[in-house]
Amino acid sequence: MALDRYEAICDPLRHSTILTNPVVVKIGLAVMLRGGIVVLPYLLLARQWPYCRTNIIPQMHCEHMAVMKLACTNTHVSSYYGLFVVFCVTGLDVVFITMSYTQILRAIFSLPTKDARLKTFETCGSHLCAISAFYIPRLFSSLTSRFGQNVDLHVHILSANVYLLVSPMLNPIIYGIKTKEIWAGSSNTLLRKAL
């Protein structure tokens, strides 16, 4: 999305020629490949551990840290790899997003009128909200599950569920909040319910 915003704002006349369907498919495949490469060591490490306690994790999904806590062996390698993934993958994402938004802000501030700058910045605001709704709870969940020994279990579960469930549910709201058709449909529905 940051690349799409960058192209749409910084080079709008070439947007459709740069981000063609084959390019978008290649980007999607690269993202899936990166995800697979990052997750594969988790699976290989978890497969070799002996489990002598219960095999029930206290969460709604199979999070790596929850599985790691069930193991009856030294899991430091996995813990270090998890920290590496959190900081390198998330850090790399943040670096690329920051680079693209630096260029976007430079392009926005070079626009001639205040209205044009405001309208262009509003299109980026929803993307920044969606990014924040995913990355902040994800980082919090990952770090508290590793370092938050004094944090209650329900806080771990809630933070993991927030980044897995709430941020995808917020995306349509975040991106659709400025759409006139959605506002009109929502207000009509609310008026009918009120009457």
Side-chain angles (χ1 to χ4, degrees), residues 125-160:
S126 34
H127 182 237
L128 290 173
C129 287
I131 289 171
S132 299
F134 177 75
Y135 279 106
I136 292 172
R138 179 176 184 250
L139 194 60
F140 177 79
S141 175
S142 182
L143 294 178
T144 56
S145 64
R146 282 177 175 73
F147 302 116
Q149 285 79 17
N150 297 332
V151 178
D152 289 336
L153 180 62
H154 68 277
V155 174
H156 288 289
I157 295 169
L158 180 66
S159 65

Side-chain angles (χ1 to χ4, degrees), residues 3-55:
L3 177 64
D4 177 62
R5 293 295 91 202
Y6 171 78
E7 288 299 329
I9 292 170
C10 296
D11 203 0
L13 297 177
R14 294 184 42 205
H15 179 268
S16 60
T17 59
I18 292 173
L19 290 177
T20 61
N21 286 340
V23 170
V24 172
V25 167
K26 288 176 187 173
I27 291 171
L29 289 173
V31 168
M32 287 176 53
L33 182 64
R34 180 186 89 158
I37 290 171
V38 166
V39 168
L40 185 62
Y42 283 136
L43 300 174
L44 296 175
L45 287 168
R47 186 172 182 223
Q48 68 183 4
W49 297 330
Y51 299 98
C52 55
R53 292 181 226 152
T54 180
N55 61 354

Side-chain angles (χ1 to χ4, degrees), residues 38-83:
V38 166
V39 168
L40 185 62
Y42 283 136
L43 300 174
L44 296 175
L45 287 168
R47 186 172 182 223
Q48 68 183 4
W49 297 330
Y51 299 98
C52 55
R53 292 181 226 152
T54 180
N55 61 354
I56 299 171
I57 57 173
Q59 294 190 2
M60 290 175 47
H61 63 282
C62 189
E63 189 176 50
H64 178 70
M65 284 302 295
V67 174
M68 193 173 82
K69 289 177 182 177
L70 297 178
C72 299
T73 187
N74 185 352
T75 58
H76 283 91
V77 171
S78 185
S79 183
Y80 294 140
Y81 178 72
L83 281 175

Side-chain angles (χ1 to χ4, degrees), residues 90-101:
T90 304
L92 203 57
D93 289 350
V94 169
V95 166
F96 286 137
I97 291 168
T98 303
M99 286 173 34
S100 69
Y101 271 98

Side-chain angles (χ1 to χ4, degrees), residues 108 115-127 178:
I108 288 173
D115 289 339
R117 287 191 295 265
L118 186 61
K119 186 174 181 180
T120 307
F121 188 71
E122 284 177 1
T123 63
C124 297
S126 34
H127 182 237
K178 300 267 182 193

